Amino acid sequence: SRFVFSVAIDPGMTSLTLSDIFEARRTIAGMASDTPLVPSAHLSARAGGEFLLKLETTQPVGAFKLRGAVNAVFKLEDTTRGVTCCSTGNHGRGVAFAARARGIRAVICMSSLVPQTKIDGIKALGAEVRIVGRSQDEALAESLRLCAEEGLTEISPFDDPHVIAGQGTIGLEILERRPDIATLLVPLSGGGLAGGVALAAKTIKPSVRVVGISMDRGAAMHASLAAGRPVEVEEVASLADSLGGGIGLDNKLSFRLCRDHLDDVILVTEEDIYRALQTHYFEDRLVCEGASAVGAAALIAGRLGDLAGPVATIITGRNVDMAVFSAIMRGADVTLGDYRITGVPYAA
Protein backbone atom coordinates (compact mmCIF):
# COMPACT_ATOMS: atom_id res chain seq x y z
CA SER A 1 0.00 0.00 0.00
CA ARG A 2 3.05 2.25 -0.17
CA PHE A 3 4.33 3.98 -3.29
CA VAL A 4 7.69 5.74 -3.47
CA PHE A 5 8.80 7.85 -6.42
CA SER A 6 11.74 10.08 -7.15
CA VAL A 7 11.63 13.83 -6.60
CA ALA A 8 13.08 15.97 -9.38
CA ILE A 9 12.13 19.56 -8.60
CA ASP A 10 12.06 21.86 -11.60
CA PRO A 11 10.78 25.34 -10.73
CA GLY A 12 9.91 25.92 -14.38
CA MET A 13 7.28 23.19 -14.27
CA THR A 14 4.72 25.37 -12.53
CA SER A 15 3.68 28.99 -12.61
CA LEU A 16 3.22 29.02 -8.84
CA THR A 17 5.85 30.33 -6.44
CA LEU A 18 6.13 30.97 -2.72
CA SER A 19 5.31 34.64 -3.34
CA ASP A 20 1.91 33.58 -4.74
CA ILE A 21 1.21 31.79 -1.47
CA PHE A 22 2.19 34.84 0.58
CA GLU A 23 -0.10 36.97 -1.62
CA ALA A 24 -2.91 34.47 -1.04
CA ARG A 25 -2.45 34.85 2.70
CA ARG A 26 -3.01 38.59 2.38
CA THR A 27 -6.12 38.02 0.26
CA ILE A 28 -7.80 35.55 2.62
CA ALA A 29 -6.90 37.36 5.86
CA GLY A 30 -10.01 38.09 7.88
CA MET A 31 -12.10 35.45 6.11
CA ALA A 32 -10.07 32.26 6.56
CA SER A 33 -8.52 31.63 9.96
CA ASP A 34 -4.89 31.09 10.93
CA THR A 35 -5.76 27.79 12.61
CA PRO A 36 -4.26 26.21 15.76
CA LEU A 37 -1.40 23.72 15.65
CA VAL A 38 -1.71 21.54 18.74
CA PRO A 39 0.05 18.42 20.05
CA SER A 40 -1.71 15.08 20.42
CA ALA A 41 -0.40 13.40 23.57
CA HIS A 42 -1.68 9.98 22.52
CA LEU A 43 -0.35 10.08 18.96
CA SER A 44 2.95 11.60 20.15
CA ALA A 45 3.42 8.60 22.42
CA ARG A 46 2.77 6.29 19.48
CA ALA A 47 5.13 8.22 17.21
CA GLY A 48 7.94 8.36 19.76
CA GLY A 49 8.10 12.14 19.36
CA GLU A 50 5.87 15.18 18.92
CA PHE A 51 2.84 14.59 16.71
CA LEU A 52 0.99 17.83 15.94
CA LEU A 53 -2.49 18.47 14.55
CA LYS A 54 -3.26 21.45 12.30
CA LEU A 55 -6.93 22.09 13.12
CA GLU A 56 -8.59 23.24 9.90
CA THR A 57 -11.80 22.08 11.57
CA THR A 58 -11.88 25.55 13.16
CA GLN A 59 -12.41 27.34 9.84
CA PRO A 60 -15.77 29.18 9.51
CA VAL A 61 -17.04 26.50 7.08
CA GLY A 62 -15.41 23.66 9.02
CA ALA A 63 -12.73 22.78 6.45
CA PHE A 64 -9.49 23.98 4.86
CA LYS A 65 -11.13 24.41 1.47
CA LEU A 66 -12.21 27.90 2.49
CA ARG A 67 -8.66 29.14 1.96
CA GLY A 68 -8.41 28.29 -1.74
CA ALA A 69 -12.02 29.15 -2.50
CA VAL A 70 -11.78 32.63 -0.97
CA ASN A 71 -8.50 33.35 -2.74
CA ALA A 72 -9.88 32.25 -6.12
CA VAL A 73 -13.25 34.01 -5.84
CA PHE A 74 -11.71 37.28 -4.63
CA LYS A 75 -9.16 37.22 -7.46
CA LEU A 76 -11.93 37.21 -10.08
CA GLU A 77 -12.33 40.39 -12.13
CA ASP A 78 -15.66 39.51 -13.79
CA THR A 79 -18.30 38.22 -11.38
CA THR A 80 -21.43 39.29 -13.28
CA ARG A 81 -22.58 35.76 -14.17
CA GLY A 82 -21.41 34.08 -10.97
CA VAL A 83 -19.27 31.03 -10.27
CA THR A 84 -19.58 27.26 -10.40
CA CYS A 85 -17.55 24.25 -9.32
CA CYS A 86 -17.68 20.51 -8.87
CA SER A 87 -17.16 19.34 -5.32
CA THR A 88 -17.22 16.38 -2.94
CA GLY A 89 -18.54 18.81 -0.35
CA ASN A 90 -16.04 21.07 1.36
CA HIS A 91 -14.83 22.98 -1.71
CA GLY A 92 -18.44 23.71 -2.59
CA ARG A 93 -19.04 25.03 0.89
CA GLY A 94 -15.97 27.26 0.60
CA VAL A 95 -17.03 28.60 -2.81
CA ALA A 96 -20.56 29.21 -1.51
CA PHE A 97 -19.17 31.12 1.48
CA ALA A 98 -16.86 33.25 -0.68
CA ALA A 99 -19.55 33.91 -3.31
CA ARG A 100 -21.99 35.07 -0.65
CA ALA A 101 -19.31 37.42 0.72
CA ARG A 102 -18.92 38.94 -2.77
CA GLY A 103 -22.65 38.97 -3.42
CA ILE A 104 -22.53 36.73 -6.49
CA ARG A 105 -24.33 33.61 -7.70
CA ALA A 106 -22.82 30.18 -6.99
CA VAL A 107 -23.86 26.83 -8.48
CA ILE A 108 -22.23 23.79 -6.89
CA CYS A 109 -22.25 20.52 -8.87
CA MET A 110 -21.95 17.28 -6.90
CA SER A 111 -22.35 13.55 -7.40
CA SER A 112 -24.85 11.33 -5.63
CA LEU A 113 -21.99 9.94 -3.48
CA VAL A 114 -21.75 13.19 -1.51
CA PRO A 115 -23.23 12.92 2.03
CA GLN A 116 -26.46 14.85 2.60
CA THR A 117 -24.89 16.84 5.44
CA LYS A 118 -22.50 18.49 2.99
CA ILE A 119 -25.28 19.26 0.53
CA ASP A 120 -27.34 20.87 3.29
CA GLY A 121 -24.36 22.94 4.44
CA ILE A 122 -23.87 24.39 0.96
CA LYS A 123 -27.56 25.23 0.54
CA ALA A 124 -27.51 26.97 3.92
CA LEU A 125 -24.92 29.38 2.51
CA GLY A 126 -27.25 30.40 -0.30
CA ALA A 127 -25.73 28.47 -3.18
CA GLU A 128 -27.60 26.35 -5.73
CA VAL A 129 -26.77 22.61 -5.65
CA ARG A 130 -27.01 20.28 -8.64
CA ILE A 131 -26.64 16.52 -8.12
CA VAL A 132 -25.29 14.90 -11.29
CA GLY A 133 -24.24 11.26 -11.75
CA ARG A 134 -22.16 9.10 -9.43
CA SER A 135 -18.69 10.59 -9.89
CA GLN A 136 -16.89 13.87 -9.58
CA ASP A 137 -16.07 13.67 -13.29
CA GLU A 138 -19.79 13.77 -14.08
CA ALA A 139 -20.26 16.69 -11.70
CA LEU A 140 -17.35 18.46 -13.40
CA ALA A 141 -18.98 17.97 -16.80
CA GLU A 142 -22.09 19.79 -15.53
CA SER A 143 -19.96 22.58 -14.08
CA LEU A 144 -18.17 23.04 -17.41
CA ARG A 145 -21.53 23.03 -19.22
CA LEU A 146 -22.67 25.90 -17.01
CA CYS A 147 -19.52 27.80 -17.94
CA ALA A 148 -20.04 27.23 -21.67
CA GLU A 149 -23.79 27.82 -21.81
CA GLU A 150 -24.48 30.30 -19.01
CA GLY A 151 -21.16 32.14 -18.72
CA LEU A 152 -20.35 31.16 -15.13
CA THR A 153 -16.70 31.03 -14.05
CA GLU A 154 -15.40 27.66 -12.88
CA ILE A 155 -13.45 27.44 -9.62
CA SER A 156 -11.61 24.11 -9.77
CA PRO A 157 -11.38 22.29 -6.43
CA PHE A 158 -7.70 21.48 -6.97
CA ASP A 159 -6.28 22.47 -10.39
CA ASP A 160 -6.55 26.26 -10.10
CA PRO A 161 -3.45 28.33 -9.23
CA HIS A 162 -5.34 30.60 -6.82
CA VAL A 163 -6.96 27.62 -5.08
CA ILE A 164 -3.60 25.87 -4.73
CA ALA A 165 -1.94 29.05 -3.44
CA GLY A 166 -4.72 29.44 -0.86
CA GLN A 167 -4.25 25.87 0.38
CA GLY A 168 -0.49 26.43 0.48
CA THR A 169 -0.95 29.00 3.26
CA ILE A 170 -1.36 26.02 5.61
CA GLY A 171 2.25 25.08 4.90
CA LEU A 172 3.36 28.64 5.69
CA GLU A 173 1.58 28.63 9.03
CA ILE A 174 2.93 25.25 10.10
CA LEU A 175 6.57 26.04 9.35
CA GLU A 176 6.40 29.59 10.68
CA ARG A 177 5.06 28.28 13.98
CA ARG A 178 7.29 25.20 14.08
CA PRO A 179 10.40 25.50 11.88
CA ASP A 180 11.65 22.24 13.37
CA ILE A 181 8.94 20.10 11.74
CA ALA A 182 10.64 17.12 10.08
CA THR A 183 7.63 15.39 8.47
CA LEU A 184 4.35 16.76 7.09
CA LEU A 185 1.47 14.34 6.50
CA VAL A 186 -1.02 15.76 3.99
CA PRO A 187 -4.34 14.17 2.95
CA LEU A 188 -4.13 13.59 -0.81
CA SER A 189 -6.99 13.82 -3.29
CA GLY A 190 -6.87 16.02 -6.38
CA GLY A 191 -3.58 17.49 -5.18
CA GLY A 192 -4.56 21.10 -4.51
CA LEU A 193 -3.86 20.81 -0.79
CA ALA A 194 -0.86 18.50 -1.08
CA GLY A 195 0.65 20.41 -3.98
CA GLY A 196 0.25 23.82 -2.34
CA VAL A 197 1.46 22.71 1.09
CA ALA A 198 4.40 20.81 -0.40
CA LEU A 199 5.42 23.77 -2.56
CA ALA A 200 5.41 26.09 0.45
CA ALA A 201 7.13 23.64 2.78
CA LYS A 202 9.83 22.50 0.35
CA THR A 203 10.64 26.06 -0.67
CA ILE A 204 10.98 27.21 2.94
CA LYS A 205 12.68 24.05 4.23
CA PRO A 206 13.91 21.67 1.51
CA SER A 207 14.81 18.99 4.06
CA VAL A 208 11.23 18.54 5.32
CA ARG A 209 9.63 15.23 4.31
CA VAL A 210 6.17 15.75 2.80
CA VAL A 211 3.98 12.66 2.54
CA GLY A 212 0.66 12.48 0.73
CA ILE A 213 -1.83 10.04 2.28
CA SER A 214 -4.97 8.65 0.71
CA MET A 215 -7.39 5.73 0.99
CA ASP A 216 -6.54 2.53 -0.87
CA ARG A 217 -9.83 2.47 -2.84
CA GLY A 218 -10.12 4.99 -5.67
CA ALA A 219 -6.97 7.04 -4.97
CA ALA A 220 -6.72 8.98 -8.24
CA MET A 221 -3.53 10.96 -7.60
CA HIS A 222 -1.66 7.88 -6.37
CA ALA A 223 -2.66 5.96 -9.50
CA SER A 224 -1.69 8.90 -11.70
CA LEU A 225 1.72 9.31 -10.08
CA ALA A 226 2.36 5.59 -10.48
CA ALA A 227 1.42 5.81 -14.17
CA GLY A 228 3.44 8.98 -14.73
CA ARG A 229 0.39 10.82 -16.11
CA PRO A 230 -3.17 11.65 -15.05
CA VAL A 231 -5.40 8.57 -15.25
CA GLU A 232 -9.01 7.76 -14.44
CA VAL A 233 -10.00 5.59 -11.50
CA GLU A 234 -13.33 4.20 -10.38
CA GLU A 235 -14.84 6.41 -7.69
CA VAL A 236 -16.23 4.43 -4.76
CA ALA A 237 -17.78 5.24 -1.40
CA SER A 238 -15.23 5.78 1.37
CA LEU A 239 -15.03 6.99 4.95
CA ALA A 240 -12.62 9.54 3.45
CA ASP A 241 -15.27 10.77 0.99
CA SER A 242 -13.54 14.16 0.69
CA LEU A 243 -10.60 12.40 -0.98
CA GLY A 244 -12.73 10.86 -3.75
CA GLY A 245 -12.88 11.85 -7.39
CA GLY A 246 -10.48 12.06 -10.30
CA ILE A 247 -7.75 14.61 -10.98
CA GLY A 248 -8.80 15.36 -14.58
CA LEU A 249 -7.02 13.94 -17.61
CA ASP A 250 -6.07 17.48 -18.67
CA ASN A 251 -4.68 18.35 -15.23
CA LYS A 252 -2.43 21.39 -15.59
CA LEU A 253 -0.94 22.09 -12.16
CA SER A 254 -1.70 19.82 -9.23
CA PHE A 255 -0.33 16.61 -10.79
CA ARG A 256 3.03 18.24 -11.52
CA LEU A 257 3.22 19.83 -8.09
CA CYS A 258 2.57 16.51 -6.37
CA ARG A 259 4.98 14.67 -8.66
CA ASP A 260 7.77 17.17 -8.09
CA HIS A 261 7.35 18.03 -4.41
CA LEU A 262 5.93 15.02 -2.56
CA ASP A 263 8.51 12.64 -1.15
CA ASP A 264 6.13 9.73 -0.74
CA VAL A 265 2.53 8.60 -1.05
CA ILE A 266 1.04 6.15 1.45
CA LEU A 267 -2.34 4.43 1.26
CA VAL A 268 -4.50 3.41 4.22
CA THR A 269 -7.47 1.06 4.41
CA GLU A 270 -11.03 1.86 5.40
CA GLU A 271 -10.40 -0.11 8.60
CA ASP A 272 -7.34 2.06 9.31
CA ILE A 273 -9.45 5.21 8.87
CA TYR A 274 -12.21 3.79 11.09
CA ARG A 275 -9.79 3.25 13.96
CA ALA A 276 -8.12 6.65 13.44
CA LEU A 277 -11.49 8.42 13.64
CA GLN A 278 -12.12 6.66 16.95
CA THR A 279 -8.65 7.65 18.16
CA HIS A 280 -9.12 11.33 17.31
CA TYR A 281 -12.48 11.34 19.07
CA PHE A 282 -11.63 9.42 22.24
CA GLU A 283 -8.04 10.64 22.67
CA ASP A 284 -8.02 14.11 21.07
CA ARG A 285 -11.72 14.94 21.59
CA LEU A 286 -12.07 15.76 17.90
CA VAL A 287 -15.04 15.34 15.61
CA CYS A 288 -13.48 15.15 12.17
CA GLU A 289 -13.98 13.67 8.71
CA GLY A 290 -12.40 10.47 7.46
CA ALA A 291 -10.10 12.50 5.22
CA SER A 292 -8.82 14.30 8.31
CA ALA A 293 -7.84 11.03 9.95
CA VAL A 294 -5.58 9.53 7.27
CA GLY A 295 -2.39 10.90 8.85
CA ALA A 296 -3.21 9.28 12.18
CA ALA A 297 -4.35 6.16 10.31
CA ALA A 298 -0.95 5.80 8.65
CA LEU A 299 0.79 6.20 12.01
CA ILE A 300 -1.44 3.76 13.90
CA ALA A 301 -1.17 1.17 11.11
CA GLY A 302 2.63 1.41 11.17
CA ARG A 303 2.96 2.63 7.59
CA LEU A 304 5.15 5.70 8.19
CA GLY A 305 8.43 3.95 8.94
CA ASP A 306 11.00 5.61 11.17
CA LEU A 307 10.08 9.14 12.24
CA ALA A 308 12.92 11.48 13.17
CA GLY A 309 11.81 14.81 14.59
CA PRO A 310 8.38 16.43 15.03
CA VAL A 311 5.53 15.36 12.76
CA ALA A 312 2.48 17.42 11.77
CA THR A 313 -0.72 16.32 10.05
CA ILE A 314 -3.63 18.38 8.75
CA ILE A 315 -7.06 17.78 10.27
CA THR A 316 -8.80 18.95 7.13
CA GLY A 317 -12.48 19.18 8.07
CA ARG A 318 -15.31 18.44 10.49
CA ASN A 319 -18.29 18.17 8.10
CA VAL A 320 -19.12 14.56 8.86
CA ASP A 321 -22.19 12.42 8.31
CA MET A 322 -23.10 12.22 12.00
CA ALA A 323 -25.05 8.97 11.61
CA VAL A 324 -21.97 7.22 10.23
CA PHE A 325 -19.68 8.97 12.71
CA SER A 326 -21.86 7.93 15.66
CA ALA A 327 -21.88 4.33 14.43
CA ILE A 328 -18.08 4.32 14.32
CA MET A 329 -17.84 5.71 17.83
CA ARG A 330 -20.14 2.91 19.03
CA GLY A 331 -17.97 0.34 17.30
CA ALA A 332 -20.79 -0.64 14.94
CA ASP A 333 -20.45 -2.04 11.42
CA VAL A 334 -20.46 0.51 8.59
CA THR A 335 -21.52 -0.19 4.99
CA LEU A 336 -19.96 1.83 2.15
CA GLY A 337 -21.70 0.85 -1.07
CA ASP A 338 -20.79 -2.82 -1.54
CA TYR A 339 -18.00 -2.66 1.06
CA ARG A 340 -18.64 -3.49 4.71
CA ILE A 341 -16.39 -2.49 7.60
CA THR A 342 -16.67 -4.77 10.61
CA GLY A 343 -17.00 -2.55 13.64
CA VAL A 344 -14.66 -2.73 16.61
CA PRO A 345 -15.21 -0.85 19.89
CA TYR A 346 -12.41 1.58 20.64
CA ALA A 347 -9.54 0.43 22.84
CA ALA A 348 -6.43 2.56 23.32
Side-chain angles (χ1 to χ4, degrees):
S1 64
R2 186 173 180 180
F3 171 61
V4 183
F5 51 93
S6 62
V7 178
I9 298 174
D10 175 4
M13 293 293 289
T14 174
S15 61
L16 281 177
T17 67
L18 186 62
S19 64
D20 295 311
I21 297 174
F22 275 107
E23 182 181 344
R25 180 160 69 175
R26 290 189 291 271
T27 300
I28 69 177
M31 293 189 67
S33 303
D34 182 336
T35 56
L37 181 66
V38 301
S40 166
H42 178 82
L43 294 174
S44 294
R46 279 184 171 272
E50 265 193 296
F51 195 96
L52 302 162
L53 312 177
K54 180 65 167 165
L55 300 181
E56 289 298 294
T57 50
T58 62
Q59 291 292 356
V61 300
F64 79 94
K65 289 281 193 177
L66 182 64
R67 295 172 183 263
V70 167
N71 193 45
V73 169
F74 275 78
K75 286 289 198 300
L76 292 176
E77 295 181 3
D78 182 4
T79 61
T80 54
R81 301 286 182 91
V83 294
T84 182
C85 70
C86 67
S87 174
T88 55
N90 288 330
H91 177 63
R93 192 178 291 217
V95 169
F97 183 97
R100 185 173 70 173
R102 286 204 72 177
I104 61 177
R105 180 189 181 201
V107 182
I108 313 302
C109 303
M110 313 170 83
S111 83
S112 60
L113 292 178
V114 175
Q116 187 63 42
T117 182
K118 294 187 176 182
I119 296 170
D120 293 342
I122 290 168
K123 289 181 177 178
L125 290 167
E128 303 168 42
V129 174
R130 299 199 182 176
I131 305 300
V132 183
R134 284 186 52 82
S135 74
Q136 186 153 336
D137 287 341
E138 290 175 280
L140 173 61
E142 174 64 11
S143 180
L144 295 177
R145 186 194 68 77
L146 289 169
C147 294
E149 297 182 11
E150 298 185 26
L152 278 70
T153 300
E154 190 216 359
I155 308 293
S156 169
F158 53 81
D159 200 31
D160 177 289
H162 299 309
V163 168
I164 295 171
Q167 321 306 27
T169 60
I170 297 173
L172 291 184
E173 291 172 14
I174 291 174
L175 284 174
E176 285 177 348
R177 206 162 300 163
R178 288 297 300 268
D180 59 333
I181 290 293
T183 303
L184 268 175
L185 308 177
V186 188
L188 177 63
S189 179
L193 173 64
V197 168
L199 173 63
K202 287 287 191 179
T203 305
I204 294 168
K205 184 179 181 179
S207 65
V208 70
R209 179 187 179 214
V210 184
V211 181
I213 306 180
S214 195
M215 68 288 193
D216 66 355
R217 303 169 69 240
M221 184 60 80
H222 172 267
S224 297
L225 291 169
R229 58 182 173 79
V231 297
E232 293 181 340
V233 298
E234 181 183 359
E235 190 172 343
V236 296
S238 171
L239 290 179
D241 56 87
S242 296
L243 302 185
I247 71 167
L249 295 181
D250 61 346
N251 187 290
K252 299 175 178 62
L253 281 173
S254 65
F255 171 78
R256 291 183 295 174
L257 285 168
C258 289
R259 181 194 63 194
D260 295 346
H261 296 282
L262 290 180
D263 296 296
D264 202 352
V265 171
I266 293 173
L267 302 182
V268 293
T269 68
E270 297 297 327
E271 289 76 11
D272 294 335
I273 298 168
Y274 184 109
R275 178 164 175 76
L277 283 168
Q278 290 180 326
T279 301
H280 278 314
Y281 181 74
F282 287 106
E283 303 294 345
D284 302 314
R285 303 298 189 263
L286 285 178
V287 174
C288 63
E289 301 175 29
S292 297
V294 294
L299 173 68
I300 294 166
R303 290 185 168 85
L304 294 178
D306 294 332
L307 294 170
V311 179
T313 191
I314 303 168
I315 307 298
T316 48
R318 66 169 188 260
N319 300 315
V320 298
D321 182 326
M322 287 306 297
V324 174
F325 186 84
S326 297
I328 293 171
M329 296 313 117
R330 295 194 309 270
D333 293 354
V334 172
T335 299
L336 302 166
D338 60 359
Y339 189 87
R340 188 173 184 84
I341 303 171
T342 302
V344 179
Y346 180 71

